[in-house]
C-alpha cells in the first residue's frame, strides 16, 4: 500500500501547495522558457501521480501475498472497482477538458476575429494588422491559422515609430511561437482538476511567462528602451478574452527589462527540477510497481 499512498501524496502536493510555493519565487521568471517547461512538468507529474495512485491502489486490493487473490472479499472488489473508476474519471476529465477548452477558445477567437475585420481597418504595416478606431491605447493579437495583430488609433498616436515596432515585434512573437497553445493547455488542466484541488498559480504564472518570452524577442528586435517606453504608454488596458495582449503584468515586465542577467543558472535549475519532478516518482515508484504488477499477473 506504500506506492499508492506516496503517489497520491505526490499528486496532491503537485496540484496545490507546490505550485503556490513556486509562484511566489522570483528566480524562475529570469528564465521564462525553462520556467514554462517546469510548470508543464509539474502538471504532467501531478496527473501521472494521480493515475498511478489509482491504478496501484486498485491492484493492491485484489492481490494477496504477491499473487492474484482467487476469492477477494466483497469490500475489496468494491474498492477495486471504485479506484479503477476514479482513475478513469481523471483521464476522461482531463481529455474532456482539453476538448472543451479547444472548442470554446476557437469559437471565441473566431467571433472576435470576425468582429475586428468588420469594424477595423487594414494597416500598411502588415497584412494581418488591424486598426481599431478607438482613443484608448490597445495592443493585442488574435492567434490561430488566420492570425491578427490589433492596434488602436490611440496606440498609434501615443507611440514613436521605434516603440510601435517593439509592440508589433512582441505581438508577432506570440503568434510565431504559438503561445496560445501553451495557455490553452494550462487552462484545460486548470479546469480538469476539481475545485477543491485547483490552483490558479500555474495558469497565472504561465500567462506572465509567455509575456516575458515575447518581451525577450521584442527587446532583441527593437531594443530595451523603446519596448520599456511602449509598455509604460499602453500598459493599462486589459486584452479581450481569447487574445494575447502586451498590456498585462506591467510592473514585473518592466522590472525584468532592467535586469542584465541571462538567467542561465535559473534555466538550468528549472530544467533539472522539471526532470526530477517527472522522472523521480516514475523511476522510484512507478517502474518498480509496474515490474511487480507484471510479475504478479503473469
Amino acid at each position: 500500500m506504500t506506492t499508492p499512498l506516496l503517489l497520491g501524496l505526490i499528486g496532491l502536493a503537485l496540484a496545490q501547495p507546490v505550485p503556490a510555493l513556486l509562484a511566489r519565487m522570483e528566480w524562475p521568471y529570469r528564465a521564462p522558457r525553462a520556467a514554462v517547461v517546469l510548470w508543464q512538468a509539474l502538471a504532467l507529474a501531478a496527473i501521472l501521480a494521480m493515475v498511478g495512485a489509482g491504478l496501484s491502489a486498485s491492484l493492491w486490493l485484489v492481490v494477496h501475498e504477491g499473487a492474484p487473490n482467487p476469492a477477494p472479499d466483497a469490500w475489496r472488489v468494491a474498492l477495486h472497482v471504485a479506484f479503477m473508476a476514479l482513475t478513469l474519471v481523471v483521464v476522461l476529465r482531463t481529455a474532456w477538458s482539453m476538448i472543451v477548452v479547444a472548442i470554446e477558445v476557437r469559437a471565441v477567437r473566431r467571433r472576435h476575429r470576425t468582429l475586428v475585420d468588420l469594424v477595423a481597418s487594414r494597416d500598411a504595416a502588415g497584412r494581418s494588422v488591424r486598426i481599431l478606431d478607438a482613443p484608448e491605447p490597445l495592443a493585442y493579437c488574435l492567434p490561430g491559422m488566420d492570425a491578427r495583430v490589433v492596434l488602436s488609433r490611440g496606440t498609434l498616436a501615443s507611440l514613436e515609430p521605434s516603440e510601435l515596432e517593439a509592440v508589433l515585434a512582441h505581438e508577432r512573437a506570440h503568434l510565431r511561437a504559438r503561445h496560445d497553445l501553451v495557455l490553452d493547455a494550462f487552462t484545460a488542466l486548470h479546469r480538469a482538476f476539481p475545485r477543491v484541488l485547483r490552483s490558479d498559480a500555474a495558469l497565472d504564472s504561465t500567462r506572465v511567462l509567455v509575456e516575458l518570452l515575447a518581451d525577450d524577442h521584442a527587446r532583441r528586435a527593437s531594443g530595451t528602451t523603446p519596448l520599456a517606453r511602449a509598455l509604460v504608454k499602453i500598459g493599462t488596458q486589459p486584452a479581450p478574452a481569447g487574445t494575447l495582449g502586451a498590456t498585462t503584468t506591467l510592473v514585473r515586465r518592466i522590472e525584468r527589462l532592467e535586469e542584465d542577467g541571462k538567467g542561465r543558472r535559473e534555466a538550468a535549475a528549472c530544467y533539472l527540477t522539471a526532470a526530477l519532478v517527472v522522472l523521480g516518482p516514475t523511476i522510484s515508484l512507478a517502474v518498480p510497481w509496474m515490474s511487480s504488477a507484471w510479475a504478479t499477473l503473469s
Side-chain angles (χ1 to χ4, degrees):
M1 193 57 180
T2 303
T3 297
L5 284 175
L6 289 176
L7 287 174
L9 291 174
I10 290 172
L12 291 174
L14 294 177
Q16 236 185 24
V18 172
L21 178 63
L22 181 62
R24 290 196 293 268
M25 297 180 179
E26 292 295 327
W27 62 268
Y29 294 100
R30 302 188 189 104
R33 192 179 307 278
V36 170
V37 173
L38 176 56
W39 280 110
Q40 291 172 329
L42 289 175
L44 176 61
I47 293 176
L48 291 177
M50 292 294 190
V51 172
L55 290 176
S56 57
S58 64
L59 181 63
W60 175 81
L61 288 164
V62 295
V63 170
H64 179 68
E65 294 182 355
N69 193 337
D73 298 334
W75 70 271
R76 285 180 174 269
V77 174
L79 286 176
H80 169 76
V81 173
F83 276 115
M84 289 297 292
L86 287 173
T87 303
L88 184 60
V89 166
V90 171
V91 175
L92 293 179
R93 184 182 174 99
T94 302
W96 178 251
S97 180
M98 291 284 186
I99 295 172
V100 170
V101 168
I103 294 174
E104 289 180 353
V105 170
R106 186 172 182 178
V108 168
R109 288 169 182 162
R110 182 173 60 250
R111 288 195 298 268
H112 194 91
R113 188 181 297 110
T114 301
L115 181 62
V116 165
D117 288 347
L118 285 174
V119 302
S121 58
R122 293 176 180 265
D123 185 74
R127 184 178 59 184
S128 63
V129 178
R130 298 293 184 270
I131 307 300
L132 291 174
D133 191 13
E136 298 84 3
L138 294 172
Y140 61 89
C141 63
L142 273 165
M145 297 300 294
D146 192 16
R148 299 281 187 273
V149 174
V150 182
L151 306 174
S152 67
R153 296 289 180 190
T155 296
L156 297 180
S158 61
L159 297 182
E160 299 294 330
S162 61
E163 298 165 358
L164 177 60
E165 190 60 34
V167 171
L168 289 173
H170 176 100
E171 302 303 341
R172 286 166 177 160
H174 279 316
L175 299 178
R176 184 165 44 253
R178 293 308 306 264
H179 290 156
D180 57 300
L181 298 180
V182 177
L183 293 178
D184 293 348
F186 275 99
T187 301
L189 291 174
H190 178 73
R191 293 191 188 181
F193 281 94
R195 290 185 181 275
V196 67
L197 299 177
R198 187 179 299 174
S199 172
D200 297 334
L203 183 57
D204 293 342
S205 296
T206 306
R207 286 172 177 156
V208 176
L209 291 170
V210 297
E211 293 298 327
L212 298 181
L213 285 172
D215 282 345
D216 286 345
H217 177 83
R219 176 162 53 176
R220 290 191 297 268
S222 304
T224 300
T225 300
L227 176 60
R229 289 175 177 171
L231 290 178
V232 172
K233 291 180 180 180
I234 67 172
T236 57
Q237 297 295 327
T243 68
L244 295 173
T247 59
T248 58
T249 62
L250 178 62
V251 174
R252 185 184 295 275
R253 292 169 62 192
I254 292 179
E255 288 177 348
R256 185 170 179 272
L257 290 177
E258 299 175 353
E259 298 176 358
D260 296 328
K262 300 296 184 181
R264 292 189 180 93
R265 288 181 297 179
E266 290 82 0
C270 285
Y271 287 129
L272 178 60
T273 305
L276 291 175
V277 165
V278 175
L279 298 179
T282 301
I283 295 174
S284 62
L285 296 173
V287 171
W289 168 76
M290 291 174 63
S291 300
S292 176
W294 180 260
T296 299
L297 297 175
S298 60

